[in-house]
Amino acid sequence: MLKRQNPGAPEHRRDLAADGGALSMSHNDSRSFFNLSQLVLSAGQIKPSPALKHSKITYFEVEIVDVQSKKQICILDKVPPASTVLDVKHKFHKACPQWYPSRVGLQLERNGPFLKDSIGIQSLAVSSIITLYFTDLGQQVGWTTFFLTEYTGPLLIYLLFYIRLSTIYDQVESRKNFRHPVVHLACFCHCLHYIRHLLETLFVHKFSEGHTPLKNMIKGCAFYWGFTSWIAYYINHPRYTPPSFGHKQVLYAALAFLMCEAGNHFINVALAHQTNSGNRTCFPSPTYNPFTWLFLLVSCPNYTYEAGSWISFTVMTQTLPVGIFAFLMVIQMSLWAQKKHKLYLKRFYPEVRRKAAMIPIIF
């Protein structure tokens, strides 16, 4: 009997070498190519590895240029595509610590508008290098600080005139003259108005773009504080004369004032609730509260109620300083209402197109 040879024996290896190793190598290569082809057909297209994808991520270089001198201030390297303008401001603050993010104004063009903090850098890029123009906005204050300072002043100033300090009025004359009830009512209404503003600033309003220039707060305080001093001086003066039509004029005007204050508060709460819930796809609609039904006629009912409060206060006290202040406030709020109304027309045209801005029919 013939014994079966072991393939691993030396004689077998010598026979393979003798018969020609090239043929054996060619056969193995064919089998390897066939197996590789089957693997490719079953697996589909070969996908790049995650590491290769990650290596293709591009970063931006942001060049900061002074808007006045046109000189380069610095270059921010490796800014990720997902960064916002606010992120760029923080990186700029690290490179130049003297410029706080709140006072940095960035523009895409020298005469263009300032970029909002929420804008993505990738939306501004035309190439890998982005040039932004820097403007120093000056000392900034938060909106909460702005309104608290602006509204606290009138509250305290009016009370100083109400108690009739000896440095303001003649002390002897102040003690002799009797105060008409409208003086006490005016103090109550004036304080109620600014206390409502302060509480809404703390607990109702939500402020965006968290800072404003300090000079704006100084101008606002000068306006409110100055007019409050003028108004309070006349109403609390010992020789103040009551309204011409007596108690009826005071009573009806006071009721109108309180209704406008309530309406203003409920409108602000409705607007804040819409912002907190994130529902900005539709214009604010009236609710079961009758004070919100003014949304059916105007797009900015909070300004309507604010104007109504000061007009009612003018009728109730019948003083010239209050009338001038109310007139200026109506003009200013009508301008604000027109500006907001244009924004509402762009966002909610079908719902706003038949509404007035602040006063039905007139504005």
Side-chain angles (χ1 to χ4, degrees):
M1 293 182 63
L2 294 175
K3 291 185 179 179
R4 187 176 179 178
Q5 292 184 355
N6 185 0
E11 292 84 5
H12 181 68
R13 286 198 295 270
R14 284 194 298 269
D15 291 340
L16 287 175
D19 292 339
L23 292 177
S24 178
M25 292 291 293
S26 176
H27 179 66
N28 290 336
D29 290 343
S30 300
R31 292 183 62 184
S32 300
F33 179 77
F34 176 78
N35 293 335
L36 179 62
S37 301
Q38 293 296 324
L39 179 62
V40 170
L41 291 175
S42 62
Q45 186 177 0
I46 299 178
K47 297 181 180 179
S49 62
L52 184 61
K53 272 190 174 182
H54 183 72
S55 64
K56 292 184 178 180
I57 293 178
T58 57
Y59 292 90
F60 294 108
E61 289 185 358
V62 179
E63 179 188 21
I64 306 296
V65 178
D66 186 82
V67 71
Q68 298 294 337
S69 63
K70 300 181 182 179
K71 293 183 179 179
Q72 182 189 95
I73 300 176
C74 66
I75 294 180
L76 307 178
D77 295 326
K78 294 184 178 181
V79 179
S83 300
T84 62
V85 172
L86 182 59
D87 297 328
V88 173
K89 290 182 179 181
H90 283 290
K91 290 179 71 70
F92 179 56
H93 173 57
K94 291 181 179 180
C96 304
Q98 68 271 25
W99 306 117
Y100 292 94
S102 60
R103 64 183 298 169
V104 173
L106 297 178
Q107 302 163 275
L108 194 60
E109 300 175 355
R110 289 191 64 199
N111 298 324
F114 290 109
L115 300 173
K116 294 183 178 180
D117 291 344
S118 57
I119 295 179
I121 287 298
Q122 195 165 11
S123 63
L124 306 174
V126 178
S127 63
S128 60
I129 300 177
I130 304 173
T131 300
L132 297 178
Y133 294 93
F134 161 74
T135 300
D136 181 14
L137 300 178
Q139 185 65 39
Q140 303 287 301
V141 294
W143 281 109
T144 302
T145 304
F146 176 90
F147 286 114
L148 290 179
T149 306
E150 193 175 67
Y151 296 143
T152 302
L155 179 63
L156 299 178
I157 290 172
Y158 196 97
L159 291 175
L160 291 177
F161 282 91
Y162 176 73
I163 62 178
R164 290 183 176 179
L165 295 176
S166 58
T167 56
I168 301 175
Y169 303 110
D170 182 71
Q171 193 68 18
V172 177
E173 192 175 19
S174 299
R175 289 176 180 176
K176 288 182 179 179
N177 290 317
F178 170 75
R179 291 198 191 192
H180 193 275
V182 71
V183 176
H184 304 291
L185 183 60
C187 180
F188 170 78
C189 291
H190 191 275
C191 293
L192 176 66
H193 177 79
Y194 283 103
I195 288 174
R196 177 184 63 81
H197 274 304
L198 290 172
L199 293 177
E200 288 177 353
T201 300
L202 293 173
F203 304 109
V204 177
H205 295 303
K206 302 297 180 183
F207 303 107
S208 58
E209 301 293 336
H211 298 86
T212 186
L214 178 62
K215 60 181 180 180
N216 290 347
M217 188 180 77
I218 295 175
K219 291 190 293 185
C221 289
F223 177 78
Y224 279 98
W225 295 16
F227 261 104
T228 299
S229 302
W230 192 24
I231 291 169
Y233 176 81
Y234 272 85
I235 296 177
N236 296 285
H237 199 281
R239 296 182 182 181
Y240 168 75
T241 54
S244 303
F245 297 97
H247 293 290
K248 288 186 177 181
Q249 178 179 344
V250 173
L251 178 61
Y252 292 145
L255 290 176
F257 177 87
L258 294 176
M259 290 182 63
C260 289
E261 287 294 302
N264 201 341
H265 172 69
F266 288 121
I267 291 296
N268 289 332
V269 170
L271 293 173
H273 177 72
Q274 183 202 26
T275 304
N276 292 339
S277 62
N279 183 19
R280 298 186 181 184
T281 58
C282 60
F283 184 76
S285 57
T287 63
Y288 62 88
N289 190 335
F291 289 102
T292 63
W293 295 351
L294 200 57
F295 273 122
L296 298 172
L297 301 177
V298 296
S299 58
C300 302
N302 51 328
Y303 294 142
T304 308
Y305 283 123
E306 184 78 9
S309 294
W310 286 112
I311 293 173
S312 302
F313 195 77
T314 303
V315 175
M316 181 178 65
T317 58
Q318 196 175 308
T319 54
L320 180 62
V322 182
I324 295 175
F325 180 75
F327 176 73
L328 295 177
M329 289 295 290
V330 169
I331 293 177
Q332 181 62 70
M333 285 184 290
S334 65
L335 296 176
W336 289 339
Q338 285 288 337
K339 185 177 180 181
K340 280 193 174 183
H341 188 69
K342 290 180 181 179
L343 296 176
Y344 287 149
L345 284 174
K346 293 179 181 179
R347 297 175 58 186
F348 316 112
Y349 176 75
E351 301 168 275
V352 183
R353 63 188 179 92
R354 293 186 179 181
K355 302 179 188 294
M358 188 179 82
I359 301 177
I361 302 174
I362 298 178
F363 297 106

